[in-house]
Amino acid sequence: MPDSLPPRHAAQPDVVIAGAGFAGMYLLHRLRALGLRVRVFEAGHDVGGTWYWNRYPGARCDVESMQYSFSFDPELQQSWNWSERYAAQPEILTYAQHIAERLDLRRDITFNTRVTALHFDDAAQVWHVTTDTGEALAARFCVMSTGCLSTTKLPEIPGIQDFAGATYHTGQWPHEGVDFTGQRVGVIGTGSSAIQAIPVIAQQAAHLTVFQRTPNFSVPAHNWPMRPEYEGAWKAEYPERRARAKQVRNGILMSINPESAVAVDEAARQKVYEERWQMGGTQFMGAFGDLILNRESNETAAEFVRGKIRSIVKDKALAELLCPQGYPIGTKRICVDTGYYETYNRGNVSLVDLRAAPIEAITPQGVRTTAAEYAFDSLVFATGFDAMTGTILAVDIQGRGGQTLRAAWAEGPRTYLGLMVAGFPNLFTITGPGSPSVLTNMLVSIEQHVDWITTCLATLQDRGAASIEATQAAQDDWAGQVAAAGNRTLYPNTASWYAGANVPGKPRVFMPYIGGVPAYHRICAEVAAEGYRGFAIRAMAEAG
Ligand code: NAP
């Protein structure tokens, strides 16, 4: 890894950042400009976060490249050329590496190192930081930029350690890649990762068996090699388009038809859905303005997608098994695929319906369901993540008075604005629970959080303040707003990772703030403009 300058690790940095994905990288850049001494710890051996770990075949972003990119550096956004409408993982990782070089970030990042503990020292008003390599240091501020989907989740299946063949998790894919040629491969899971990986693995494997518990709704990406006129139009209007994207609820510039799906007749509705299907990507959910609000409207979109599945998959019984039922489309993250349903027309692909016959055990040979046994050379777990809170809670975080974050979040995460937690001064989370994060273009949300935190720290510097902390009252109020926003939609009742449903024992709380990017950005800006309303700021003299 090229380092232009030797590391200049401060013994006592001002800020410790956990994670060198896009959030940690941009934050490091901004805080350096404030003159702060920053140490970043990163578990991987290079930058890139999600795009460093998720190297499974077919991994690709489902936000268009022209938008899934940083806006803070006008020269970068003009000079960087994306090769496809939706970039694949290697290209996004190369982009992250390019930024690390361009901004000379790596000299302040300690790789192959996890932060394991953060303990707040009330008297000294500093965080004591411990890493898994045995480093111990103290810093006034800490920032968890550890990503929302970082802690991989294996299924609770008896015998999982007994399988004699090779096992892989999509979120921890081997860097050297995997060649499945000639193999019998089993994939467990049918979420976004599986839906991208399955068509690619099917082209290699001798036979691919997909174990499906819950079918997902997937729409085609209709990816294409970057068109010069498309790229040119974006680059000519980047500032305006980026600003307009922030006026859309998910931070992605797309048209959202404000009409209700049930306010138009069947022919008009089908025409709109067909147009959206042909456009490709998540803008399908913008076909009508009330798809996530009104169950009847939602069902029209769900049934349209089921019709597509039935028209693509030739085996009628198989098509029915692939049709999602019983939950509203979009309330589990909608998937974007390239040839997913078509893959089931191949002779070397079969689907096992776990609703009819659940998995009993993983055996040395393969997988045993209540109905049959399947032998494999390789097993792929596409079983997701302990989302949003898993990685934060994996760190032993103790705030004021020694209270643990785990205890504070025992009934689900509670934050103020998804940025801070009462009782944990000077500890920030980027795209944390209680912020729009995973419901948005992550790059838009990351930039806004980093900018907000940077301004906050600059303000504290100017005031000579020692600490900032969310007040309990502001946090309680925000938790109410997050829940109320969720309850206005169809999301909370679906068993999704948004609500912690995929992890046994995890509190069932709808974690992201669904009030939309425009409202959220406005609230954060107002809070700062009103002298950090809802935060207690303590002066140096008050410390201890
Ligand atoms: P996921 O959406 O949580 O899907 C996990 C899958 O594993 C589900 O189908 C789940 O079934 C299944 N599963 C879990 N435990 C199981 C068990 N014991 N037995 C059988 N099946 C089991 O995880 P993911 O696909 O990795 O995606 C997570 C998120 O990452 C996405 O929602 C998206 O936000 C992001 N992502 C984005 C992209 C992109 O940008 N294109 C790509 C990949 C991922 P149940 O539904 O029945 O629990």
Side-chain angles (χ1 to χ4, degrees):
M1 186 185 337
D3 265 348
S4 51
L5 287 173
R8 41 150 216 197
H9 295 155
Q12 182 157 335
D14 301 301
V15 187
V16 160
I17 299 174
F22 283 126
M25 291 167 68
Y26 178 42
L27 185 63
L28 168 60
H29 172 63
R30 291 296 315 271
L31 296 187
R32 271 182 183 169
L34 291 185
L36 293 170
R37 293 163 302 170
V38 184
R39 279 289 294 278
V40 184
F41 292 99
E42 164 56 49
H45 79 248
D46 201 5
V47 297
T50 285
W51 303 103
Y52 171 90
W53 297 102
N54 286 269
R55 298 168 188 244
Y56 60 84
R60 188 179 289 288
C61 189
D62 60 12
V63 176
E64 288 192 10
S65 315
M66 298 309 295
Q67 303 201 53
Y68 192 83
S69 50
F70 276 129
S71 72
F72 71 84
D73 182 339
E75 208 281 323
L76 171 70
Q77 71 181 5
Q78 290 299 328
S79 61
W80 183 265
N81 297 318
W82 295 103
S83 70
E84 292 180 279
R85 179 188 186 189
Y86 296 103
Q89 172 271 330
E91 187 170 12
I92 305 173
L93 183 58
T94 304
Y95 174 70
Q97 292 165 339
H98 171 73
I99 292 167
E101 270 144 48
R102 179 181 170 83
L103 303 177
D104 190 17
L105 298 179
R106 288 191 180 99
R107 66 191 157 90
D108 286 326
I109 306 173
T110 305
F111 292 102
N112 305 307
T113 307
R114 275 179 198 278
V115 171
T116 51
L118 297 175
H119 293 177
F120 190 66
D121 181 331
D122 292 82
Q125 301 259 49
V126 294
W127 285 95
H128 292 291
V129 181
T130 312
T131 74
D132 64 353
T133 55
E135 248 197 276
L137 61 161
R140 190 162 294 284
F141 299 97
C142 290
V143 186
M144 297 298 287
S145 58
T146 41
C148 296
L149 295 156
S150 313
T151 297
T152 52
K153 165 101 193 37
L154 285 170
E156 289 78 19
I157 301 176
I160 192 163
Q161 304 304 332
D162 298 342
F163 181 60
T167 56
Y168 307 97
H169 191 289
T170 47
Q172 288 185 321
W173 204 258
H175 288 199
E176 63 280 14
V178 182
D179 182 2
F180 291 112
T181 305
Q183 292 192 20
R184 298 159 304 168
V185 182
V187 172
I188 297 181
T190 49
S192 296
S193 302
I195 279 175
Q196 291 186 328
I198 283 165
V200 184
I201 296 174
Q203 287 169 24
Q204 284 184 359
H207 193 90
L208 171 63
T209 305
V210 178
F211 292 89
Q212 172 187 272
R213 192 165 62 184
T214 311
N216 256 297
F217 290 98
S218 188
V219 294
H222 294 316
N223 195 18
W224 24 258
M226 186 55 71
R227 297 169 180 159
E229 67 281 8
Y230 188 78
E231 182 182 18
W234 266 93
K235 288 188 173 178
E237 292 183 5
Y238 244 140
E240 301 91 305
R241 291 189 184 202
R242 299 277 200 194
R244 274 164 46 212
K246 290 181 196 160
Q247 298 310 314
V248 183
R249 67 173 182 238
N250 61 6
I252 302 172
L253 188 55
M254 62 164 77
S255 71
I256 297 182
N257 174 7
E259 281 179 301
S260 163
V262 289
V264 300
D265 66 29
E266 178 65 10
R269 204 162 40 229
Q270 293 302 313
K271 183 167 174 290
V272 172
Y273 286 138
E274 186 59 36
E275 282 165 7
R276 293 275 166 165
W277 184 269
Q278 294 310 331
M279 283 179 201
T282 57
Q283 54 195 325
F284 182 81
M285 289 305 292
F288 293 99
D290 63 347
L291 293 185
I292 60 160
L293 303 174
N294 178 329
R295 187 73 203 237
E296 196 190 342
S297 295
N298 185 285
E299 181 54 25
T300 64
E303 193 49 31
F304 176 86
V305 175
R306 290 184 205 114
K308 285 289 183 190
I309 297 169
R310 291 177 185 121
S311 74
I312 296 169
V313 179
K314 292 184 181 137
D315 179 324
K316 290 204 176 333
L318 182 53
E320 276 324 300
L321 289 180
L322 288 163
C323 283
Q325 306 282 355
Y327 67 93
I329 183 170
T331 57
K332 277 173 178 273
R333 163 72 178 252
I334 196 158
C335 303
V336 177
D337 73 273
T338 299
Y340 176 65
Y341 295 117
E342 290 82 350
T343 297
Y344 290 94
N345 292 330
R346 297 175 65 101
N348 69 333
V349 176
S350 46
L351 184 79
V352 176
D353 174 17
L354 297 180
R355 293 261 163 108
I359 296 177
E360 271 184 352
I362 291 179
T363 66
Q365 292 74 36
V367 175
R368 188 176 73 235
T369 69
T370 53
E373 288 206 44
Y374 304 85
F376 298 113
D377 302 300
S378 293
L379 265 182
V380 175
F381 298 111
T383 44
F385 303 85
D386 185 351
M388 303 200 78
T389 55
T391 313
I392 297 172
L393 291 176
V395 178
D396 168 21
I397 299 178
Q398 298 184 18
R400 257 191 309 108
Q403 72 162 316
T404 66
L405 187 62
R406 188 167 284 281
W409 284 5
E411 287 169 18
R414 293 174 77 84
T415 67
Y416 182 33
L417 300 171
L419 280 161
M420 295 196 91
V421 183
F424 298 81
N426 292 353
L427 174 68
F428 296 90
T429 52
I430 297 188
T431 63
S435 76
S437 67
V438 291
L439 301 172
T440 69
N441 178 354
M442 289 302 284
L443 273 281
V444 167
S445 289
I446 284 169
E447 284 194 339
Q448 185 256 344
H449 266 192
V450 168
D451 291 344
W452 193 95
I453 292 168
T454 304
T455 305
C456 175
L457 294 192
T459 306
L460 297 181
Q461 258 185 335
D462 290 347
R463 291 198 202 171
S467 75
I468 181 166
E469 180 185 345
T471 66
Q472 191 64 50
Q475 178 167 295
D476 290 346
D477 178 67
W478 184 247
Q481 291 194 48
V482 172
N487 289 336
R488 283 193 286 273
T489 74
L490 300 173
Y491 276 80
N493 293 329
T494 296
S496 70
W497 60 257
Y498 293 132
N502 65 327
V503 178
K506 190 165 172 170
R508 285 289 282 271
V509 173
F510 186 71
M511 295 182 282
Y513 173 66
I514 200 172
V517 163
Y520 178 77
H521 286 200
R522 180 178 44 73
I523 293 165
C524 289
E526 284 169 4
V527 163
E530 291 171 26
Y532 293 91
R533 184 184 77 218
F535 290 97
I537 295 178
R538 294 190 182 86
M540 287 290 183
E542 295 173 50

